[in-house]
Amino acid sequence: MNVPGPPAASDDFHARFSRRIQWLTIALGFFSAAAVAFSISPKTGLGIAIGTVLAWLSYRWMDRGLGVLVSAATAQEGVSQPRVPIGVYVRFGGRYVLIGVLVYATVSILHVPLVAVVTGLFALGAGAAAEGLYELFAKSP
């Protein structure tokens, strides 16, 4: 049975985990964008870079929104219906609206391939997978 550690240790772990995911997302996405820009086309590389930035921004908003949600729920422990600030809902929905608008603008104005921008959005998944592998092998005996 796993017993969670003190809240300070858990917060510190989450902060390090979140920073690594963000760093890995940017690093892997921009490395891929540079490789594609040199090997295929600069516009395709730009699309991957833009998608990477959007994925990173979306993760940051989600992480902060979840932090506020957890804090609000913890502060209202024992209340049957905890009150959640409306800004949390705006951030959760707003990040999808922002991604949609910016992807549309990027594709229509800069004439960047849509597939490249969507591929850049997958950088967050690559960063999370790399972080998971790091946690798996760094903690191994």
Side-chain angles (χ1 to χ4, degrees):
M1 176 173 165
N2 289 339
V3 178
S10 178
D11 291 344
D12 185 45
F13 171 78
H14 174 74
R16 285 187 318 231
F17 180 83
S18 181
R19 275 193 308 270
R20 281 192 301 265
I21 286 181
Q22 290 178 48
W23 180 83
L24 285 165
T25 297
I26 292 293
L28 292 171
F30 283 174
F31 176 76
S32 300
V36 167
F38 287 117
S39 65
I40 297 177
S41 80
K43 280 200 176 200
T44 304
L46 176 64
I48 291 174
I50 290 170
T52 297
V53 170
L54 291 175
W56 173 78
L57 184 63
S58 176
Y59 176 76
R60 285 191 47 99
W61 277 15
M62 179 189 66
D63 191 40
R64 287 186 179 176
L66 286 174
V68 169
L69 190 63
V70 168
S71 296
T74 304
Q76 300 174 35
E77 192 173 337
V79 177
S80 63
Q81 279 292 73
R83 297 190 65 201
V84 178
I86 192 74
V88 172
Y89 296 116
V90 171
R91 280 191 191 112
F92 280 130
R95 57 193 188 105
Y96 293 115
V97 172
L98 177 68
I99 287 173
V101 168
L102 290 177
V103 166
Y104 174 77
T106 300
V107 170
S108 63
I109 295 171
L110 298 177
H111 304 289
V112 173
L114 176 62
V115 172
V117 179
V118 172
T119 302
L121 290 171
F122 289 132
L124 178 59
E131 169 58 20
L133 290 172
Y134 169 79
E135 285 295 321
L136 179 67
F137 291 112
K139 307 292 183 187
S140 296

